[in-house]
Amino acid sequence: MDEAEYKKAKEEWVTGHEGGPMMEIYFISFVFLNSFALWSATAKYTKIFDYTSNNIISNFLLEYIILIIPSLLSCTLLAGYAFYLNVILLILTFLIIINNSSPKSTSDEKKKKKNRWESDSEDEELSELSVNDEKNLTDADSKIKEEIDSDKIKKKPFLSAYRSCMMILTCLSILAVDFSVFPRRLAKTETYGTSLMDLGVGSFVFSSGIVAARPFLKKPENRFKPFKGQLLRAVRQALPILILGFIRLMMVKGVDYQEHASEYGIHWNFFFTLGFLPIFVTLCRTLHKYVRFSIVGLSIATLYQITLYLGLEDYILYAHRTDLISSNKEGICSFWGYLSMFLIGLDIGHYILPVDPYYAIRQNRRAKKKPKPQKLAMILFSLVILFWLGFIFCIVIGIPISRRIANLSYVFWVIASNTTFLVLFQIVEITFFEYWKNERNLPFIIEAVNSNGLAVFLLANLLTGLVNLSIRTLFVNDSLAECILAGYMFVIVAIAIWFNINNWKFIL
């Protein structure tokens, strides 16, 4: 097989897929959730991990075995047995809890927690994300604000774990899909259906929306700044990502890399979608004075679905590629679905990021001393019900899920699935840890991947291209493919930890 024939075979390898069962996608995703629960139980109740010393290497290797290897297996060799893998992880977690907890230790822990609330109110106040408006800040308040702004304090473990889960599964999938060990039903669908990679793309955008709420919460007056200044700032923020999109386009064309035209189009790629988001979100900020971001997002998704019904869907699926617009019709049109997901994620971030989940909608935005994780869990659970009802409604009226066009049912599926994951990760956090306590409640790997998500994503794309240019992945046997994938993930998380240890941030 010469290079031209191999390129054609690679393109056929990633096209024409119809996806697989939705429950299988969730079983595979739950593996990381249960791995995090296993790590939490192990770190809390045993002495296997020694985070008090500087022995980073041994802790890293143990974390890699507990967190990365099960997810790798669930995406590849054990994809059909992900349910049983979850059962094994849960059994191990419960065994650790049962063997290492007693009524006495539980009672002591409750007393410590009570004493902490009574004696450490000042420390709790510093652990808040929400602060007063800049106008009302005194010198003392400014000092407190500096403390609050430190990354160590403002991050919530369950949110970091959820975002790291999404990123790790994304990194695994973008290389694994090129090997035969990765089941075809997990690859991106051609037009309709559900798959792990379909969910991953939407999840990446949704999770980015959640953390994009941080500037609004730290400085509420940001949303009322002059529109021109906001737009210029958004363009500056978008420009580096758009440049990455052009670089990827030139590299793909330059090395004659295989392309999947029906995914985004001839020239469009995911970096262009990410790059245009800040600009269009800024355009939507003018509406936020009157309605919430989630209402704006749902309105965009609904209007987009109406245009699909009126003929845009036929244009996306069947129109010939005759000019620049039609050549990239999938990427340009699906952008509206991704924009709606980002806006809804931005609104949910207003609940998740502050200590008080109602901080953003209170008239008097004063800091609250006590975190309210249970109240946040109730809010998220309510949103889960609403989004799943929206998804069911879309299916009942006959809108099939399509990542390719990012229609309304796809938007609801991604949002409902991700809010469900958020609730489940928060349950693990509440069960084992409290984010305001002075204890290690995140593994090195999760902390590092979450802190440098964009760098990890770029590195994964570079390594994926390097592997594909170095070997013919289609002809690699399953055992060797597993070794390559394990090494690939090892390099990614090791570099992420190296960045984190040195306090390096890759910021665009």
Side-chain angles (χ1 to χ4, degrees):
M1 183 178 292
D2 60 25
E3 289 300 324
E5 291 173 329
Y6 181 70
K7 179 186 175 184
K8 184 178 179 181
K10 285 294 294 288
E11 290 172 353
E12 291 175 352
W13 182 249
V14 294
T15 58
H17 304 307
E18 298 179 356
M22 200 177 289
M23 284 310 301
E24 183 181 42
I25 299 168
Y26 295 138
F27 287 147
I28 292 171
S29 302
F30 289 160
V31 167
F32 190 93
L33 171 71
N34 290 319
S35 294
F36 177 57
L38 177 59
W39 174 88
S40 300
T42 306
K44 188 175 182 69
Y45 296 112
T46 73
K47 296 181 179 180
I48 294 176
F49 290 98
D50 183 14
Y51 290 112
T52 58
S53 68
N54 292 323
N55 195 357
I56 296 175
I57 295 177
S58 63
N59 288 326
F60 164 62
L61 292 174
L62 286 170
E63 288 180 6
Y64 183 83
I65 292 169
I66 291 176
L67 295 170
I68 305 298
I69 295 299
S71 291
L72 170 58
L73 292 172
S74 69
C75 291
T76 52
L77 291 174
L78 300 183
Y81 304 94
F83 172 79
Y84 302 104
L85 189 53
N86 280 295
V87 171
I88 292 170
L89 291 169
L90 285 172
I91 290 173
L92 291 173
T93 302
F94 284 125
L95 286 175
I96 290 173
I97 295 172
I98 292 169
N99 291 333
N100 294 278
S101 61
S102 63
K104 185 180 180 208
S105 64
T106 304
S107 176
D108 291 342
E109 192 172 319
K110 287 181 179 178
K111 287 180 183 178
K112 286 180 183 177
K113 187 188 249 187
K114 184 178 178 183
N115 291 336
R116 181 176 179 82
W117 285 125
E118 293 174 352
S119 62
D120 293 341
S121 60
E122 291 182 4
D123 291 338
E124 288 159 5
E125 189 168 353
L126 292 179
S127 68
E128 299 177 34
L129 171 67
S130 56
V131 296
N132 295 335
D133 290 350
E134 290 290 314
K135 300 176 186 177
N136 303 323
L137 284 177
T138 63
D139 292 338
D141 291 330
S142 298
K143 187 175 180 182
I144 290 174
K145 180 181 176 297
E146 288 176 10
E147 300 261 357
I148 292 171
D149 282 346
S150 73
D151 284 346
K152 207 170 185 180
I153 293 174
K154 69 188 178 184
K155 289 180 180 175
K156 292 188 177 180
F158 84 92
L159 180 59
S160 297
Y162 150 77
R163 282 170 53 80
S164 296
C165 168
M166 176 273 303
M167 184 59 69
I168 287 169
L169 287 177
T170 298
C171 293
L172 270 170
S173 299
I174 60 176
L175 177 59
V177 70
D178 295 316
F179 294 95
S180 59
V181 73
F182 188 81
R184 294 299 89 196
R185 63 186 180 276
L186 302 182
K188 289 178 182 176
T189 55
E190 185 66 22
T191 304
Y192 301 109
T194 59
S195 74
L196 180 67
M197 294 191 74
D198 285 348
L199 182 60
V201 174
S203 300
F204 192 101
V205 173
F206 177 80
S207 68
S208 299
I210 292 175
V211 296
R214 192 167 284 136
F216 295 102
L217 294 165
K218 288 171 66 176
K219 293 183 180 180
E221 69 275 14
N222 277 344
R223 70 192 73 201
F224 303 117
K225 286 183 177 179
F227 175 74
K228 184 178 179 181
Q230 292 183 29
L231 188 60
L232 288 174
R233 183 180 177 185
V235 171
R236 285 197 300 269
Q237 182 184 353
L239 195 58
I241 303 176
L242 292 174
I243 291 172
L244 288 174
F246 282 110
I247 291 173
R248 188 186 187 282
L249 173 63
M250 289 186 290
M251 289 180 66
V252 167
K253 299 295 184 182
V255 300
D256 202 28
Y257 197 70
Q258 69 272 0
E259 298 178 80
H260 186 186
S262 63
E263 185 177 354
Y264 295 110
I266 301 296
H267 311 100
W268 196 279
N269 57 60
F270 191 54
F271 286 108
F272 290 131
T273 298
L274 294 177
F276 283 112
L277 282 173
I279 298 172
F280 281 84
V281 169
T282 300
L283 295 175
C284 294
R285 282 188 186 181
T286 53
L287 298 174
H288 187 247
K289 295 179 182 179
Y290 313 103
V291 293
R292 297 182 65 89
F293 279 120
S294 55
I295 302 300
V296 178
L298 287 173
S299 300
I300 291 173
T302 303
L303 290 172
Y304 174 56
Q305 182 59 49
I306 292 172
T307 61
L308 288 172
Y309 179 76
L310 294 176
L312 182 61
E313 185 170 350
D314 288 337
Y315 170 78
I316 296 171
L317 299 181
Y318 307 116
H320 295 293
R321 304 181 190 275
T322 56
D323 52 29
L324 188 63
I325 300 295
S326 59
S327 294
N328 300 284
K329 52 190 177 176
E330 292 88 353
I332 294 171
C333 295
S334 65
F335 173 80
W336 301 105
Y338 291 116
L339 175 62
S340 66
M341 288 182 229
F342 188 94
L343 289 169
I344 295 169
L346 180 59
D347 199 45
I348 292 176
H350 281 70
Y351 290 111
I352 293 176
L353 295 178
V355 173
D356 178 1
Y358 289 116
Y359 164 75
I361 59 176
R362 290 184 186 276
Q363 292 296 322
N364 181 18
R365 293 192 178 93
R366 293 196 63 83
K368 303 296 178 182
K369 289 184 177 180
K370 291 186 179 181
K372 300 177 181 179
Q374 288 80 10
K375 182 175 286 188
L376 175 59
M378 291 174 61
I379 292 171
L380 290 176
F381 185 72
S382 301
L383 292 173
V384 166
I385 294 173
L386 288 174
F387 290 134
W388 278 116
L389 287 174
F391 171 72
I392 292 170
F393 174 77
C394 290
I395 298 302
V396 168
I397 64 174
I399 305 175
I401 302 172
S402 175
R403 173 208 49 81
R404 181 178 175 182
I405 58 179
N407 57 7
L408 188 61
S409 58
Y410 176 71
V411 170
F412 270 116
W413 177 53
V414 169
I415 298 168
S417 299
N418 279 271
T419 47
T420 303
F421 293 145
L422 283 165
V423 170
L424 293 174
F425 273 106
Q426 196 192 11
I427 289 172
V428 174
E429 177 195 297
I430 293 173
T431 302
F432 294 102
F433 305 108
E434 302 292 0
Y435 70 87
W436 58 86
K437 292 179 70 174
N438 186 24
E439 59 185 349
R440 169 157 286 280
N441 42 34
L442 281 176
F444 285 135
I445 288 176
I446 286 180
E447 198 171 36
V449 170
N450 181 64
S451 297
N452 270 294
L454 184 57
V456 167
F457 184 63
L458 289 174
L459 178 61
N461 276 274
L462 287 172
L463 291 177
T464 297
L466 182 63
V467 170
N468 275 274
L469 292 174
S470 303
I471 59 175
R472 293 191 169 187
T473 54
L474 289 185
F475 306 132
V476 174
N477 63 58
D478 291 353
S479 300
L480 181 56
E482 288 291 290
C483 292
I484 293 172
L485 289 169
Y488 156 83
M489 287 306 302
F490 187 90
V491 170
I492 289 174
V493 294
I495 291 177
I497 288 176
W498 183 42
F499 267 58
N500 210 38
I501 290 172
N502 290 281
N503 242 356
W504 294 344
K505 294 281 185 183
F506 188 85
I507 300 174
L508 292 179

Coordinates of all heavy atoms in Angstrom, one line a residue, residues 37-52 59 62 66 92-101 432-433:
A37 N -12.9 8.1 42.8 CA -13.5 7.7 44.1 C -12.5 6.7 44.8 O -12.3 6.8 46.0 CB -14.8 7.0 43.9
L38 N -11.9 5.8 44.0 CA -10.9 4.9 44.6 C -9.7 5.6 45.1 O -9.2 5.3 46.2 CB -10.5 3.9 43.5 CG -9.5 2.8 43.9 CD1 -9.9 2.0 45.1 CD2 -9.1 1.9 42.7
W39 N -9.2 6.6 44.3 CA -8.1 7.4 44.8 C -8.4 8.1 46.1 O -7.7 8.2 47.0 CB -7.7 8.4 43.7 CG -6.6 9.3 44.3 CD1 -5.2 9.1 44.3 CD2 -6.8 10.6 45.0 NE1 -4.6 10.2 44.9 CE2 -5.5 11.0 45.4 CE3 -8.0 11.3 45.3 CZ2 -5.4 12.3 46.1 CZ3 -7.8 12.5 46.0 CH2 -6.5 13.0 46.4
S40 N -9.7 8.7 46.1 CA -10.1 9.5 47.3 C -10.1 8.6 48.5 O -9.6 9.0 49.6 CB -11.5 10.0 47.0 OG -11.5 10.9 45.9
A41 N -10.7 7.4 48.4 CA -10.7 6.4 49.5 C -9.3 6.0 49.9 O -9.0 5.9 51.1 CB -11.6 5.2 49.2
T42 N -8.5 5.8 49.0 CA -7.1 5.3 49.2 C -6.3 6.4 49.9 O -5.6 6.2 50.9 CB -6.4 4.9 47.9 OG1 -7.2 3.9 47.3 CG2 -5.0 4.3 48.2
A43 N -6.4 7.7 49.4 CA -5.7 8.8 50.0 C -6.2 9.1 51.4 O -5.4 9.6 52.3 CB -5.8 10.0 49.1
K44 N -7.5 8.9 51.7 CA -8.1 9.4 52.9 C -7.9 8.3 54.0 O -7.6 8.6 55.2 CB -9.6 9.6 52.8 CG -10.2 10.3 54.0 CD -11.6 10.6 53.7 CE -12.3 11.3 54.9 NZ -11.8 12.6 55.1
Y45 N -8.0 7.0 53.7 CA -8.1 6.0 54.7 C -6.8 5.1 54.8 O -6.7 4.3 55.6 CB -9.3 5.1 54.4 CG -10.6 5.8 54.6 CD1 -11.4 6.0 53.5 CD2 -11.0 6.3 55.8 CE1 -12.6 6.7 53.6 CE2 -12.2 6.9 56.0 CZ -13.0 7.2 54.9 OH -14.2 7.8 55.0
T46 N -5.9 5.2 53.8 CA -4.7 4.4 53.9 C -3.5 5.3 53.8 O -3.5 6.5 53.7 CB -4.7 3.4 52.7 OG1 -4.4 4.1 51.5 CG2 -6.0 2.7 52.5
K47 N -2.3 4.6 53.9 CA -1.0 5.3 53.8 C -0.3 5.0 52.6 O 1.0 5.1 52.5 CB -0.2 4.9 55.1 CG -0.8 5.4 56.4 CD 0.1 5.0 57.5 CE -0.5 5.5 58.9 NZ 0.3 5.2 60.0
I48 N -1.0 4.5 51.6 CA -0.4 4.1 50.3 C 0.3 5.4 49.6 O 1.4 5.3 49.1 CB -1.4 3.5 49.3 CG1 -1.8 2.1 49.9 CG2 -0.8 3.3 47.9 CD1 -2.9 1.4 49.1
F49 N -0.5 6.5 49.7 CA 0.0 7.7 49.1 C 0.7 8.5 50.3 O 0.1 8.6 51.4 CB -1.1 8.6 48.5 CG -1.6 8.0 47.2 CD1 -2.8 7.2 47.2 CD2 -1.0 8.2 46.0 CE1 -3.3 6.7 46.1 CE2 -1.5 7.7 44.9 CZ -2.6 7.0 44.9
D50 N 1.9 9.0 50.0 CA 2.6 9.8 51.0 C 2.8 11.2 50.5 O 3.8 11.6 49.9 CB 3.9 9.2 51.4 CG 4.6 10.0 52.5 OD1 4.0 10.8 53.1 OD2 5.8 9.7 52.7
Y51 N 1.7 12.1 50.6 CA 1.8 13.5 50.1 C 2.5 14.4 51.0 O 2.7 15.6 50.7 CB 0.4 14.0 49.8 CG -0.2 13.3 48.6 CD1 -1.3 12.4 48.8 CD2 0.2 13.4 47.3 CE1 -1.9 11.8 47.7 CE2 -0.3 12.8 46.3 CZ -1.4 12.0 46.5 OH -2.0 11.3 45.4
T52 N 2.9 13.9 52.2 CA 3.6 14.8 53.2 C 5.1 14.9 52.8 O 5.8 15.8 53.2 CB 3.5 14.3 54.6 OG1 4.0 12.9 54.7 CG2 2.0 14.3 55.0
N59 N 4.2 8.7 44.1 CA 2.8 9.1 44.1 C 2.3 9.3 42.7 O 1.1 8.8 42.4 CB 2.7 10.5 44.8 CG 2.9 10.4 46.3 OD1 2.5 9.3 46.9 ND2 3.5 11.4 46.9
L62 N 1.6 5.8 41.2 CA 0.4 5.1 41.7 C -0.9 5.8 41.2 O -1.8 5.1 40.9 CB 0.4 5.3 43.3 CG 1.4 4.3 44.0 CD1 1.5 4.7 45.5 CD2 0.9 2.9 43.9
I66 N -4.0 4.1 39.0 CA -5.3 4.2 39.5 C -6.2 5.0 38.5 O -7.4 4.6 38.3 CB -5.4 4.7 40.9 CG1 -4.8 3.8 41.9 CG2 -6.8 5.0 41.3 CD1 -4.7 4.3 43.3
L92 N -13.6 -2.2 45.2 CA -12.3 -1.8 45.9 C -12.5 -0.6 46.8 O -11.9 -0.6 47.9 CB -11.2 -1.6 44.8 CG -10.8 -2.8 44.0 CD1 -9.8 -2.3 42.9 CD2 -10.0 -3.8 44.9
T93 N -13.2 0.4 46.3 CA -13.4 1.6 47.1 C -14.2 1.3 48.4 O -13.8 1.7 49.4 CB -14.3 2.6 46.2 OG1 -13.6 2.9 45.0 CG2 -14.5 3.9 47.0
F94 N -15.2 0.5 48.3 CA -16.0 0.1 49.5 C -15.2 -0.7 50.4 O -15.3 -0.6 51.7 CB -17.3 -0.6 49.1 CG -18.4 0.3 48.5 CD1 -18.9 0.1 47.3 CD2 -18.8 1.4 49.3 CE1 -19.9 0.9 46.8 CE2 -19.8 2.3 48.7 CZ -20.3 2.0 47.5
L95 N -14.4 -1.6 49.9 CA -13.5 -2.4 50.8 C -12.6 -1.6 51.6 O -12.3 -1.8 52.8 CB -12.8 -3.5 50.0 CG -13.6 -4.6 49.4 CD1 -12.7 -5.5 48.5 CD2 -14.2 -5.5 50.6
I96 N -12.0 -0.6 50.9 CA -11.1 0.3 51.6 C -11.8 1.1 52.7 O -11.3 1.3 53.8 CB -10.4 1.3 50.6 CG1 -9.4 0.5 49.7 CG2 -9.7 2.4 51.3 CD1 -8.9 1.3 48.6
I97 N -13.0 1.6 52.4 CA -13.8 2.4 53.4 C -14.1 1.5 54.6 O -14.0 1.9 55.7 CB -15.0 3.0 52.7 CG1 -14.7 4.0 51.6 CG2 -15.9 3.6 53.8 CD1 -15.8 4.4 50.8
I98 N -14.6 0.3 54.3 CA -15.1 -0.6 55.4 C -13.9 -1.0 56.3 O -14.0 -1.0 57.5 CB -15.8 -1.8 54.8 CG1 -17.1 -1.4 54.1 CG2 -16.0 -2.8 55.9 CD1 -17.7 -2.5 53.3
N99 N -12.8 -1.3 55.7 CA -11.6 -1.8 56.4 C -10.9 -0.7 57.2 O -10.1 -1.0 58.1 CB -10.6 -2.5 55.5 CG -11.2 -3.8 54.9 OD1 -12.1 -4.4 55.6 ND2 -10.8 -4.2 53.8
N100 N -11.1 0.6 56.8 CA -10.3 1.6 57.4 C -11.1 2.7 58.1 O -10.5 3.7 58.6 CB -9.4 2.3 56.4 CG -8.4 1.3 55.8 OD1 -7.3 1.1 56.4 ND2 -8.7 0.8 54.6
S101 N -12.4 2.5 58.3 CA -13.2 3.5 59.0 C -13.9 2.8 60.1 O -14.3 1.6 60.1 CB -14.2 4.2 58.1 OG -15.1 3.2 57.5
F432 N -15.9 12.3 50.6 CA -14.6 12.1 51.1 C -13.9 13.4 51.6 O -13.1 13.4 52.5 CB -13.7 11.5 50.0 CG -14.1 10.1 49.6 CD1 -14.8 9.9 48.5 CD2 -13.8 9.0 50.5 CE1 -15.2 8.6 48.1 CE2 -14.1 7.7 50.1 CZ -14.9 7.5 48.9
F433 N -14.2 14.5 51.0 CA -13.4 15.7 51.3 C -14.3 17.0 51.4 O -15.5 16.9 51.0 CB -12.3 16.0 50.2 CG -11.4 14.9 50.0 CD1 -11.5 14.1 48.8 CD2 -10.4 14.6 50.9 CE1 -10.6 13.1 48.6 CE2 -9.6 13.5 50.7 CZ -9.7 12.8 49.5

